[in-house]
Structure formats: C-alpha cells, structure tokens
Amino acid sequence: MTGFLRDDHVDAVAARVEAYSSAMFLGVGTPAPTDALAGSAAEARHAVESARAEGRRVVRYRSIPTISLVLDRLDGDDARRIARLLDPLRDAAGRHGELTETLRVFLAENGAWGATAERLGVHRQTLTARIHRVEGLLGLSLADADDRTAAWLALRALHA
C-alpha cells in the first residue's frame, strides 16, 4: 500500500509500525512538493524493500547507506553536473517529462518490463521504444549495471 503523510506525522506513524505485533514494514521517502510526490513514493518503495530484506520495521530512504554515502557528499555543483547526464531527455521547453519519468519508473521497478509498462499505463512495445530512445539519447545501456547506476544517481541528483 502506498500513502502520503505530512512530514510532521511520519515519526508518530513510524513508532506505531515499530510497536505493531505482526510483520508490518514502512518505507519513508523524502519530503516533496505535490508535483514531486511520485519520486518520493518511488523512494518509499525502495525503502520498504530494504526494510523487508533487512528485517527492519521502518527504513527511511535517506538512511540507506549507499544513497546517503554518495548523494549527501555532493555539493550543489557536483549534483548539477551529475544531473546534466539527463539533459538529452528534456523536452522542447527544457523540462523533464515523459522520457525522464519512463527512466525513473523503469529503474524503480528494477528493469521489470511488465511492471513498468503497467505503472506507466503503456503497452510493452511503447515502453521498449521509449527505453531504446532513452538509451540512445543518453548513450547508456540499461542492461549494464554501471550505466543503470549512473542513470539512478543522475535522477536522484536531479531532485537533490
């Protein structure tokens, strides 16, 4: 289940999850404005996967060591430089849109084509065409772990 809370309610909900007697897990994304809630929800899904894997009840996305270790050490210039990897995905108005969102969902779904297509509400062939276009524009192969990592860090830096 996915839901949204005001930041000032997160600690109280986390305490209830910790105290609950059966297996319940909570993943908490970073606070975000309304137009960026999709990114926070993706973070929360990643955090809850980490909670399940580690057997912890509550995991905050920013506390996942690999994320904080890399992103928290970036200054603004470094974050912008990493985020520029995604510049070829901008639309004619200079905004990140459909292709950036496709990449974000694809990576959040761990490259699962069916789940990604379903979340985006597109046919798998449409998704395949978009991913090939993303790869071509970025000069990356999403089949390569290093390229996926670079894309994920660029997405995170874009919203840092």
Side-chain angles (χ1 to χ4, degrees), residues 98-147:
E98 182 178 86
L99 291 177
T100 303
E101 179 65 5
T102 297
L103 174 62
R104 187 194 62 73
V105 173
F106 184 76
L107 294 174
E109 291 293 343
N110 300 308
W113 294 91
T116 302
E118 185 176 323
R119 273 189 57 196
L120 292 171
V122 299
H123 192 276
R124 281 181 63 143
Q125 289 177 329
T126 301
L127 174 62
T128 300
R130 285 187 192 173
I131 292 298
H132 288 308
R133 185 161 180 229
V134 166
E135 289 175 321
L137 289 168
L138 298 181
L140 299 176
S141 168
L142 296 179
D144 179 81
D146 287 340
D147 286 355

CSV table of all heavy atoms in Angstrom, one decimal, residues 98-147:
chain,number,residue,atom,x,y,z
A,98,GLU,N,8.2,13.0,-20.1
A,98,GLU,CA,7.8,11.6,-20.4
A,98,GLU,C,9.0,10.6,-20.3
A,98,GLU,O,9.0,9.6,-19.7
A,98,GLU,CB,7.1,11.4,-21.7
A,98,GLU,CG,6.6,10.1,-22.1
A,98,GLU,CD,5.9,10.1,-23.4
A,98,GLU,OE1,6.5,10.0,-24.4
A,98,GLU,OE2,4.6,10.2,-23.3
A,99,LEU,N,10.1,11.0,-21.0
A,99,LEU,CA,11.2,10.1,-21.1
A,99,LEU,C,12.0,10.0,-19.7
A,99,LEU,O,12.4,8.9,-19.3
A,99,LEU,CB,12.2,10.5,-22.2
A,99,LEU,CG,11.7,10.4,-23.6
A,99,LEU,CD1,12.8,10.9,-24.6
A,99,LEU,CD2,11.4,8.9,-23.9
A,100,THR,N,12.1,11.1,-19.0
A,100,THR,CA,12.7,11.0,-17.7
A,100,THR,C,11.8,10.2,-16.8
A,100,THR,O,12.4,9.4,-16.0
A,100,THR,CB,12.9,12.5,-17.2
A,100,THR,OG1,13.7,13.2,-18.1
A,100,THR,CG2,13.6,12.4,-15.8
A,101,GLU,N,10.5,10.4,-16.8
A,101,GLU,CA,9.6,9.6,-16.0
A,101,GLU,C,9.7,8.1,-16.3
A,101,GLU,O,9.7,7.2,-15.5
A,101,GLU,CB,8.2,10.1,-16.1
A,101,GLU,CG,7.2,9.4,-15.2
A,101,GLU,CD,7.4,9.5,-13.7
A,101,GLU,OE1,8.3,10.2,-13.3
A,101,GLU,OE2,6.7,8.8,-13.0
A,102,THR,N,9.8,7.8,-17.6
A,102,THR,CA,9.9,6.4,-18.0
A,102,THR,C,11.2,5.8,-17.5
A,102,THR,O,11.1,4.7,-16.9
A,102,THR,CB,9.9,6.3,-19.6
A,102,THR,OG1,8.6,6.8,-20.1
A,102,THR,CG2,10.1,4.9,-20.1
A,103,LEU,N,12.3,6.5,-17.5
A,103,LEU,CA,13.5,6.0,-17.0
A,103,LEU,C,13.4,5.8,-15.5
A,103,LEU,O,13.8,4.8,-15.0
A,103,LEU,CB,14.6,7.0,-17.3
A,103,LEU,CG,16.0,6.7,-16.7
A,103,LEU,CD1,16.6,5.4,-17.2
A,103,LEU,CD2,17.0,7.9,-16.9
A,104,ARG,N,12.8,6.8,-14.8
A,104,ARG,CA,12.7,6.7,-13.3
A,104,ARG,C,11.9,5.5,-12.9
A,104,ARG,O,12.3,4.7,-12.1
A,104,ARG,CB,12.0,8.0,-12.8
A,104,ARG,CG,12.1,8.0,-11.2
A,104,ARG,CD,11.1,9.1,-10.7
A,104,ARG,NE,9.8,8.9,-11.0
A,104,ARG,CZ,9.0,7.9,-10.5
A,104,ARG,NH1,9.4,7.1,-9.6
A,104,ARG,NH2,7.7,7.8,-10.9
A,105,VAL,N,10.7,5.3,-13.6
A,105,VAL,CA,9.9,4.1,-13.2
A,105,VAL,C,10.6,2.8,-13.6
A,105,VAL,O,10.5,1.9,-12.8
A,105,VAL,CB,8.5,4.3,-13.9
A,105,VAL,CG1,7.7,3.0,-13.7
A,105,VAL,CG2,7.8,5.5,-13.4
A,106,PHE,N,11.2,2.8,-14.7
A,106,PHE,CA,11.9,1.6,-15.2
A,106,PHE,C,13.0,1.2,-14.1
A,106,PHE,O,13.1,0.0,-13.7
A,106,PHE,CB,12.6,1.8,-16.5
A,106,PHE,CG,13.2,0.6,-17.1
A,106,PHE,CD1,12.5,-0.4,-17.7
A,106,PHE,CD2,14.6,0.5,-17.1
A,106,PHE,CE1,13.1,-1.6,-18.2
A,106,PHE,CE2,15.3,-0.6,-17.7
A,106,PHE,CZ,14.5,-1.6,-18.2
A,107,LEU,N,13.7,2.1,-13.7
A,107,LEU,CA,14.8,1.8,-12.7
A,107,LEU,C,14.1,1.5,-11.3
A,107,LEU,O,14.6,0.6,-10.6
A,107,LEU,CB,15.7,3.0,-12.5
A,107,LEU,CG,16.6,3.3,-13.8
A,107,LEU,CD1,17.4,4.6,-13.6
A,107,LEU,CD2,17.5,2.1,-14.1
A,108,ALA,N,13.1,2.2,-10.9
A,108,ALA,CA,12.4,1.9,-9.7
A,108,ALA,C,11.8,0.5,-9.7
A,108,ALA,O,11.7,-0.1,-8.6
A,108,ALA,CB,11.3,3.0,-9.4
A,109,GLU,N,11.4,0.0,-10.8
A,109,GLU,CA,10.8,-1.3,-11.0
A,109,GLU,C,11.9,-2.3,-11.3
A,109,GLU,O,11.6,-3.5,-11.7
A,109,GLU,CB,9.7,-1.3,-12.0
A,109,GLU,CG,8.5,-0.6,-11.7
A,109,GLU,CD,7.7,-1.2,-10.5
A,109,GLU,OE1,8.0,-2.4,-10.2
A,109,GLU,OE2,6.9,-0.5,-9.9
A,110,ASN,N,13.2,-1.9,-11.1
A,110,ASN,CA,14.3,-2.9,-11.3
A,110,ASN,C,14.3,-3.5,-12.7
A,110,ASN,O,14.7,-4.6,-12.9
A,110,ASN,CB,14.3,-3.9,-10.2
A,110,ASN,CG,14.4,-3.4,-8.8
A,110,ASN,OD1,15.3,-2.6,-8.6
A,110,ASN,ND2,13.5,-3.7,-7.9
A,111,GLY,N,13.9,-2.7,-13.7
A,111,GLY,CA,14.0,-3.1,-15.0
A,111,GLY,C,12.9,-4.1,-15.4
A,111,GLY,O,13.0,-4.8,-16.5
A,112,ALA,N,11.9,-4.3,-14.6
A,112,ALA,CA,10.8,-5.2,-14.9
A,112,ALA,C,9.9,-4.6,-15.9
A,112,ALA,O,9.2,-3.6,-15.6
A,112,ALA,CB,10.1,-5.6,-13.6
A,113,TRP,N,9.9,-5.1,-17.1
A,113,TRP,CA,9.2,-4.5,-18.2
A,113,TRP,C,7.7,-4.5,-18.0
A,113,TRP,O,7.1,-3.5,-18.2
A,113,TRP,CB,9.5,-5.3,-19.5
A,113,TRP,CG,11.0,-5.1,-19.9
A,113,TRP,CD1,12.0,-5.9,-19.6
A,113,TRP,CD2,11.5,-4.1,-20.7
A,113,TRP,NE1,13.2,-5.4,-20.2
A,113,TRP,CE2,12.9,-4.3,-20.9
A,113,TRP,CE3,11.0,-3.0,-21.4
A,113,TRP,CZ2,13.7,-3.5,-21.6
A,113,TRP,CZ3,11.8,-2.1,-22.1
A,113,TRP,CH2,13.2,-2.4,-22.2
A,114,GLY,N,7.1,-5.6,-17.6
A,114,GLY,CA,5.7,-5.7,-17.4
A,114,GLY,C,5.2,-4.7,-16.3
A,114,GLY,O,4.2,-4.0,-16.5
A,115,ALA,N,5.9,-4.7,-15.2
A,115,ALA,CA,5.5,-3.8,-14.0
A,115,ALA,C,5.7,-2.3,-14.4
A,115,ALA,O,4.9,-1.5,-14.1
A,115,ALA,CB,6.4,-4.1,-12.8
A,116,THR,N,6.7,-2.0,-15.2
A,116,THR,CA,7.0,-0.7,-15.6
A,116,THR,C,5.9,-0.2,-16.6
A,116,THR,O,5.3,0.9,-16.4
A,116,THR,CB,8.4,-0.5,-16.3
A,116,THR,OG1,9.4,-0.9,-15.3
A,116,THR,CG2,8.6,0.9,-16.7
A,117,ALA,N,5.6,-1.0,-17.6
A,117,ALA,CA,4.5,-0.7,-18.5
A,117,ALA,C,3.2,-0.5,-17.8
A,117,ALA,O,2.5,0.5,-18.1
A,117,ALA,CB,4.4,-1.8,-19.6
A,118,GLU,N,2.9,-1.4,-16.9
A,118,GLU,CA,1.6,-1.2,-16.1
A,118,GLU,C,1.6,0.1,-15.3
A,118,GLU,O,0.6,0.8,-15.4
A,118,GLU,CB,1.5,-2.4,-15.2
A,118,GLU,CG,0.1,-2.4,-14.5
A,118,GLU,CD,-0.1,-3.7,-13.6
A,118,GLU,OE1,0.4,-4.7,-14.0
A,118,GLU,OE2,-0.7,-3.5,-12.5
A,119,ARG,N,2.7,0.4,-14.6
A,119,ARG,CA,2.7,1.6,-13.8
A,119,ARG,C,2.6,2.9,-14.7
A,119,ARG,O,2.0,3.9,-14.3
A,119,ARG,CB,4.0,1.7,-13.0
A,119,ARG,CG,3.8,1.0,-11.7
A,119,ARG,CD,5.0,1.3,-10.7
A,119,ARG,NE,5.3,2.7,-10.4
A,119,ARG,CZ,6.4,3.1,-9.9
A,119,ARG,NH1,7.3,2.2,-9.6
A,119,ARG,NH2,6.6,4.3,-9.7
A,120,LEU,N,3.2,2.8,-15.9
A,120,LEU,CA,3.1,4.0,-16.8
A,120,LEU,C,1.8,4.0,-17.6
A,120,LEU,O,1.5,5.0,-18.2
A,120,LEU,CB,4.3,3.9,-17.7
A,120,LEU,CG,5.7,4.2,-17.1
A,120,LEU,CD1,6.8,4.0,-18.1
A,120,LEU,CD2,5.8,5.6,-16.6
A,121,GLY,N,1.1,2.9,-17.6
A,121,GLY,CA,-0.1,2.8,-18.4
A,121,GLY,C,0.1,2.8,-19.9
A,121,GLY,O,-0.7,3.3,-20.6
A,122,VAL,N,1.2,2.1,-20.3
A,122,VAL,CA,1.5,2.0,-21.7
A,122,VAL,C,1.7,0.5,-22.1
A,122,VAL,O,1.9,-0.4,-21.2
A,122,VAL,CB,2.8,2.8,-22.1
A,122,VAL,CG1,2.6,4.2,-21.8
A,122,VAL,CG2,4.0,2.2,-21.4
A,123,HIS,N,1.6,0.2,-23.4
A,123,HIS,CA,1.9,-1.1,-23.9
A,123,HIS,C,3.4,-1.4,-23.8
A,123,HIS,O,4.2,-0.5,-23.8
A,123,HIS,CB,1.5,-1.2,-25.4
A,123,HIS,CG,1.4,-2.5,-25.9
A,123,HIS,ND1,2.5,-3.2,-26.4
A,123,HIS,CD2,0.4,-3.4,-26.0
A,123,HIS,CE1,2.2,-4.4,-26.8
A,123,HIS,NE2,0.9,-4.5,-26.6
A,124,ARG,N,3.7,-2.7,-23.6
A,124,ARG,CA,5.2,-3.0,-23.5
A,124,ARG,C,6.0,-2.6,-24.7
A,124,ARG,O,7.1,-2.2,-24.6
A,124,ARG,CB,5.3,-4.5,-23.3
A,124,ARG,CG,5.0,-4.9,-21.8
A,124,ARG,CD,5.2,-6.4,-21.6
A,124,ARG,NE,6.6,-6.8,-21.8
A,124,ARG,CZ,7.3,-7.6,-21.1
A,124,ARG,NH1,6.6,-8.3,-20.2
A,124,ARG,NH2,8.5,-8.0,-21.4
A,125,GLN,N,5.4,-2.6,-25.9
A,125,GLN,CA,6.1,-2.2,-27.1
A,125,GLN,C,6.4,-0.7,-27.0
A,125,GLN,O,7.5,-0.2,-27.4
A,125,GLN,CB,5.3,-2.5,-28.4
A,125,GLN,CG,5.3,-4.0,-28.7
A,125,GLN,CD,4.5,-4.3,-29.9
A,125,GLN,OE1,3.6,-3.6,-30.2
A,125,GLN,NE2,4.9,-5.4,-30.6
A,126,THR,N,5.5,0.1,-26.5
A,126,THR,CA,5.7,1.5,-26.3
A,126,THR,C,6.8,1.8,-25.3
A,126,THR,O,7.7,2.6,-25.5
A,126,THR,CB,4.4,2.2,-25.8
A,126,THR,OG1,3.4,2.0,-26.7
A,126,THR,CG2,4.6,3.7,-25.5
A,127,LEU,N,6.8,1.0,-24.2
A,127,LEU,CA,7.9,1.1,-23.2
A,127,LEU,C,9.2,0.7,-23.8
A,127,LEU,O,10.2,1.4,-23.6
A,127,LEU,CB,7.6,0.1,-22.0
A,127,LEU,CG,8.7,0.1,-21.0
A,127,LEU,CD1,9.0,1.4,-20.4
A,127,LEU,CD2,8.4,-1.0,-20.0
A,128,THR,N,9.3,-0.3,-24.6
A,128,THR,CA,10.5,-0.8,-25.3
A,128,THR,C,11.0,0.4,-26.2
A,128,THR,O,12.2,0.7,-26.1
A,128,THR,CB,10.3,-2.0,-26.1
A,128,THR,OG1,9.9,-3.1,-25.2
A,128,THR,CG2,11.6,-2.5,-26.8
A,129,ALA,N,10.2,1.0,-26.9
A,129,ALA,CA,10.6,2.1,-27.8
A,129,ALA,C,11.1,3.3,-27.0
A,129,ALA,O,12.1,3.9,-27.3
A,129,ALA,CB,9.4,2.5,-28.7
A,130,ARG,N,10.4,3.6,-25.9
A,130,ARG,CA,10.9,4.7,-25.0
A,130,ARG,C,12.3,4.4,-24.4
A,130,ARG,O,13.2,5.2,-24.4
A,130,ARG,CB,9.9,5.0,-23.9
A,130,ARG,CG,8.7,5.7,-24.3
A,130,ARG,CD,7.9,6.0,-23.1
A,130,ARG,NE,6.5,6.5,-23.5
A,130,ARG,CZ,5.6,6.7,-22.6
A,130,ARG,NH1,5.8,6.6,-21.3
A,130,ARG,NH2,4.4,7.1,-23.0
A,131,ILE,N,12.4,3.2,-23.9
A,131,ILE,CA,13.7,2.8,-23.3
A,131,ILE,C,14.8,2.8,-24.3
A,131,ILE,O,15.9,3.3,-24.0
A,131,ILE,CB,13.6,1.4,-22.6
A,131,ILE,CG1,12.7,1.5,-21.4
A,131,ILE,CG2,15.0,0.9,-22.2
A,131,ILE,CD1,13.1,2.5,-20.3
A,132,HIS,N,14.6,2.3,-25.5
A,132,HIS,CA,15.6,2.4,-26.6
A,132,HIS,C,15.9,3.9,-26.9
A,132,HIS,O,17.1,4.2,-27.1
A,132,HIS,CB,15.2,1.6,-27.8
A,132,HIS,CG,15.2,0.2,-27.6
A,132,HIS,ND1,16.3,-0.5,-27.2
A,132,HIS,CD2,14.3,-0.8,-27.9
A,132,HIS,CE1,16.0,-1.8,-27.1
A,132,HIS,NE2,14.8,-2.0,-27.5
A,133,ARG,N,14.9,4.7,-26.9
A,133,ARG,CA,15.2,6.1,-27.2
A,133,ARG,C,16.0,6.8,-26.0
A,133,ARG,O,16.9,7.5,-26.3
A,133,ARG,CB,13.8,6.9,-27.3
A,133,ARG,CG,14.0,8.3,-27.7
A,133,ARG,CD,12.8,8.9,-28.3
A,133,ARG,NE,13.0,10.3,-28.7
A,133,ARG,CZ,12.2,11.3,-28.3
A,133,ARG,NH1,11.1,11.0,-27.7
A,133,ARG,NH2,12.5,12.5,-28.7
A,134,VAL,N,15.7,6.4,-24.8
A,134,VAL,CA,16.4,6.9,-23.6
A,134,VAL,C,17.9,6.5,-23.7
A,134,VAL,O,18.8,7.3,-23.6
A,134,VAL,CB,15.8,6.4,-22.3
A,134,VAL,CG1,16.7,6.6,-21.1
A,134,VAL,CG2,14.5,7.1,-22.0
A,135,GLU,N,18.1,5.2,-24.0
A,135,GLU,CA,19.4,4.7,-24.1
A,135,GLU,C,20.2,5.4,-25.2
A,135,GLU,O,21.4,5.8,-25.1
A,135,GLU,CB,19.4,3.2,-24.4
A,135,GLU,CG,19.0,2.4,-23.2
A,135,GLU,CD,18.9,0.9,-23.5
A,135,GLU,OE1,18.4,0.5,-24.6
A,135,GLU,OE2,19.2,0.1,-22.7
A,136,GLY,N,19.6,5.6,-26.4
A,136,GLY,CA,20.2,6.3,-27.5
A,136,GLY,C,20.6,7.7,-27.2
A,136,GLY,O,21.7,8.2,-27.5
A,137,LEU,N,19.6,8.5,-26.5
A,137,LEU,CA,19.9,9.9,-26.2
A,137,LEU,C,20.9,10.0,-25.1
A,137,LEU,O,21.7,11.0,-25.2
A,137,LEU,CB,18.6,10.5,-25.7
A,137,LEU,CG,17.5,10.8,-26.8
A,137,LEU,CD1,16.2,11.2,-26.1
A,137,LEU,CD2,18.0,11.9,-27.7
A,138,LEU,N,21.0,9.1,-24.2
A,138,LEU,CA,21.9,9.2,-23.1
A,138,LEU,C,23.3,8.5,-23.4
A,138,LEU,O,24.3,8.8,-22.7
A,138,LEU,CB,21.4,8.6,-21.8
A,138,LEU,CG,20.1,9.3,-21.2
A,138,LEU,CD1,19.7,8.6,-19.9
A,138,LEU,CD2,20.3,10.8,-21.0
A,139,GLY,N,23.3,7.6,-24.4
A,139,GLY,CA,24.5,6.9,-24.7
A,139,GLY,C,24.8,5.8,-23.6
A,139,GLY,O,25.9,5.5,-23.3
A,140,LEU,N,23.7,5.3,-23.0
A,140,LEU,CA,23.8,4.3,-22.0
A,140,LEU,C,23.1,3.0,-22.4
A,140,LEU,O,22.2,3.1,-23.2
A,140,LEU,CB,23.2,4.8,-20.7
A,140,LEU,CG,23.7,6.1,-20.0
A,140,LEU,CD1,22.8,6.4,-18.8
A,140,LEU,CD2,25.1,5.9,-19.6
A,141,SER,N,23.5,1.9,-21.7
A,141,SER,CA,22.8,0.7,-21.9
A,141,SER,C,22.2,0.3,-20.5
A,141,SER,O,22.9,0.1,-19.6
A,141,SER,CB,23.7,-0.4,-22.4
A,141,SER,OG,23.0,-1.7,-22.2
A,142,LEU,N,20.9,0.3,-20.4
A,142,LEU,CA,20.3,0.0,-19.2
A,142,LEU,C,20.4,-1.5,-18.8
A,142,LEU,O,20.0,-1.9,-17.7
A,142,LEU,CB,18.8,0.4,-19.1
A,142,LEU,CG,18.7,1.9,-19.3
A,142,LEU,CD1,17.2,2.3,-19.3
A,142,LEU,CD2,19.4,2.7,-18.2
A,143,ALA,N,21.0,-2.3,-19.7
A,143,ALA,CA,21.4,-3.7,-19.4
A,143,ALA,C,22.7,-3.7,-18.6
A,143,ALA,O,23.0,-4.7,-18.0
A,143,ALA,CB,21.5,-4.5,-20.6
A,144,ASP,N,23.4,-2.6,-18.6
A,144,ASP,CA,24.7,-2.5,-17.9
A,144,ASP,C,24.5,-1.9,-16.5
A,144,ASP,O,23.9,-0.9,-16.3
A,144,ASP,CB,25.7,-1.7,-18.7
A,144,ASP,CG,27.0,-1.5,-18.1
A,144,ASP,OD1,27.8,-2.4,-18.2
A,144,ASP,OD2,27.2,-0.5,-17.4
A,145,ALA,N,25.0,-2.6,-15.5
A,145,ALA,CA,24.9,-2.2,-14.1
A,145,ALA,C,25.5,-0.8,-13.8
A,145,ALA,O,24.8,0.0,-13.1
A,145,ALA,CB,25.5,-3.2,-13.1
A,146,ASP,N,26.6,-0.5,-14.4
A,146,ASP,CA,27.2,0.8,-14.2
A,146,ASP,C,26.4,1.9,-14.8
A,146,ASP,O,26.2,3.0,-14.2
A,146,ASP,CB,28.7,0.8,-14.8
A,146,ASP,CG,29.6,0.0,-13.9
A,146,ASP,OD1,29.4,-0.2,-12.7
A,146,ASP,OD2,30.7,-0.3,-14.5
A,147,ASP,N,25.9,1.6,-16.0
A,147,ASP,CA,25.0,2.6,-16.7
A,147,ASP,C,23.7,2.8,-15.9
A,147,ASP,O,23.2,4.0,-15.8
A,147,ASP,CB,24.7,2.2,-18.1
A,147,ASP,CG,25.9,2.4,-19.0
A,147,ASP,OD1,27.0,2.9,-18.6
A,147,ASP,OD2,25.8,2.0,-20.2
